[in-house]
Amino acid sequence: MSMHAAVVRSFDHPPRYEAYDTPQPSGPDQTLADVLAVGLHPRVRSGAAGRHYTSTGTLPMIPGIDGVGRLPGGGLVYFAVPDDVWGSMAEQAVVDPRRSVPLPENADVAKVAAAMNPAMSAWVALRRRVPLRPGQSVLVLGATGNAGTMAVQVASRLGAGRVVGAGRNPERLAALAAVGADEVVSLDDDPGATAARLAEAAAEVDIVIDYLWGAPAAAAMMAMLTARADRSRAMDWIQIGAIAGPAIELPSVALRSANLRIQGCGQGSVSPRAYLAELPSLVAEIDAGTIAVNARPVPLADVEAAWAAPELPGQRTVLIP
Ligand SMILES: NC(=O)c1ccc[n+]([C@@H]2O[C@H](COP(=O)([O-])OP(=O)(O)OC[C@H]3O[C@@H](n4cnc5c(N)ncnc54)[C@H](OP(=O)(O)O)[C@@H]3O)[C@@H](O)[C@H]2O)c1
């Protein structure tokens, strides 16, 4: 049996659309689903390049970590794929129904496929890692991407009293007010001015959701902690993405002279069971339209071109088998 899939045969080259063996369910908890829509998330790109921390380095592989599909019984579901070799960018994928959530029959499949991964990051962080208490203030560092923009909306939705968005893309930054940011901070090429703006707008926040890491995160930590009125009051820094760099250099004094609590949120720091428990409520939010989504559907047959094509800011490519 064969199907069509996006297939990675070298970590140096984007996946190609080709005929490939249909995967076979291998136990009672597996079934073969027809795939309807798959998001091309940054996590999918890093997996297909062999660079994600969960990659086993096995080739060939089918990329794709999640998607929307139809189970043999006819049910429409959002599903997560635990396997880094048999992913979801294919006409069919092996799905564990326990790792899937039913969708309403009229759900917008491209919208759900586009939004679940970026929206889940802040949703899980603020419910499982540092549960947000109503009225707390939140800084989203790197708020102009898909996940960051959704984090602004998620923080508001979960009851934040004040949400500050920081990022470097001026148009996307300006658009954050419309989705609930109380204030925005421009991260530009002038480190001194950026630090002053962050100190002014975000020194007193309770929680930081950080998609950047790297030099901008280290600079932001120092700027905000130095300006904080009561440094013994906890600042919870949740590390989620590393789009600006994989490592930071942090002076030890940042940890001694302030109550800075750094932790991450991702696969491993949150159990699969906890992620799964959060899926239904997030699906309901996305389906209800409380989180804005800009999906760009592209046929799976065009996956190689889609990989190289630039996305407009705020857009998420969704491959349709
Ligand atoms: N741990 C998790 O559960 C989880 C879940 C989802 C995503 N993530 C991670 O979160 C990150 C963002 O994901 P995404 O879906 O939002 O990606 P995305 O839509 O591609 O957005 C990335 C954003 O990062 C911005 N950016 C890049 N370099 C920057 C820098 N040096 N300073 C400031 N902004 C910078 C870009 O802004 P410009 O427009 O200025 O280029 C863009 O808006 C990725 O690393 C992803 O892997 C983690």
Side-chain angles (χ1 to χ4, degrees):
M1 290 258 293
S2 78
M3 61 175 185
H4 280 92
V7 181
V8 175
R9 294 191 177 274
S10 156
F11 289 129
D12 299 332
H13 198 280
R16 290 196 175 97
Y17 184 71
E18 53 183 76
Y20 202 73
D21 291 342
T22 304
Q24 297 304 317
S26 64
D29 295 323
Q30 296 192 347
T31 187
L32 198 59
D34 289 332
V35 180
L36 303 179
V38 182
L40 177 42
H41 314 299
R43 158 77 183 80
V44 177
R45 287 182 186 276
S46 62
R51 284 189 279 100
H52 193 259
Y53 63 88
T54 60
S55 295
T56 57
T58 308
L59 287 175
M61 57 91 80
I62 298 174
I65 56 165
D66 65 355
V68 174
R70 199 169 284 287
L71 298 179
L76 191 64
V77 292
Y78 166 80
F79 62 92
V81 182
D83 195 304
D84 84 326
V85 177
W86 292 96
S88 52
M89 287 190 173
E91 288 174 317
Q92 292 177 299
V94 169
V95 169
D96 178 346
R98 296 170 306 173
R99 289 173 169 266
S100 67
V101 192
L103 295 175
E105 194 47 43
N106 62 353
D108 181 331
V109 298
K111 192 169 101 171
V112 173
M116 284 298 280
N117 170 266
M120 201 182 306
S121 60
W123 187 266
V124 170
L126 293 178
R127 282 166 59 94
R128 294 280 166 168
R129 289 301 265 163
V130 182
L132 180 78
R133 296 197 302 277
Q136 284 192 307
S137 54
V138 175
L139 166 68
V140 179
L141 193 62
T144 57
N146 277 280
T149 301
M150 290 179 187
V152 168
Q153 298 166 76
V154 164
S156 302
R157 180 78 184 123
L158 294 178
R162 182 165 173 270
V163 184
V164 181
R168 66 177 185 184
N169 179 317
E171 290 99 60
R172 293 282 299 158
L173 209 50
L176 289 178
V179 295
D182 297 289
E183 194 169 349
V184 295
V185 177
S186 168
L187 307 175
D188 62 24
D189 291 337
D190 180 340
T194 296
R197 283 192 291 272
L198 277 169
E200 168 88 27
E204 303 303 333
V205 297
D206 300 295
I207 300 173
V208 179
I209 301 179
D210 177 9
Y211 292 99
L212 298 180
W213 209 235
M221 278 177 198
M222 293 310 292
M224 291 160 59
L225 292 173
T226 309
R228 201 165 175 81
D230 175 3
R231 290 189 203 164
S232 68
R233 191 167 67 80
M235 181 187 286
D236 280 298
W237 198 285
I238 316 178
Q239 202 296 310
I240 295 187
I243 213 103
I248 63 168
E249 190 170 314
L250 185 65
S252 63
V253 69
L255 296 168
R256 279 200 308 278
S257 66
N259 189 0
L260 174 63
R261 306 191 294 205
I262 306 176
Q263 58 187 300
C265 184
Q267 285 172 273
S269 56
V270 177
S271 70
R273 183 185 293 269
Y275 267 109
L276 284 172
E278 294 300 335
L279 293 183
S281 51
L282 185 55
V283 161
E285 294 290 332
I286 291 166
D287 194 51
T290 48
I291 298 171
V293 185
N294 182 358
R296 180 174 73 113
V298 173
L300 181 61
D302 297 337
V303 62
E304 199 171 343
W307 220 261
E311 283 171 329
L312 293 175
Q315 212 172 44
R316 175 60 36 96
T317 299
V318 176
L319 295 158
I320 310 290

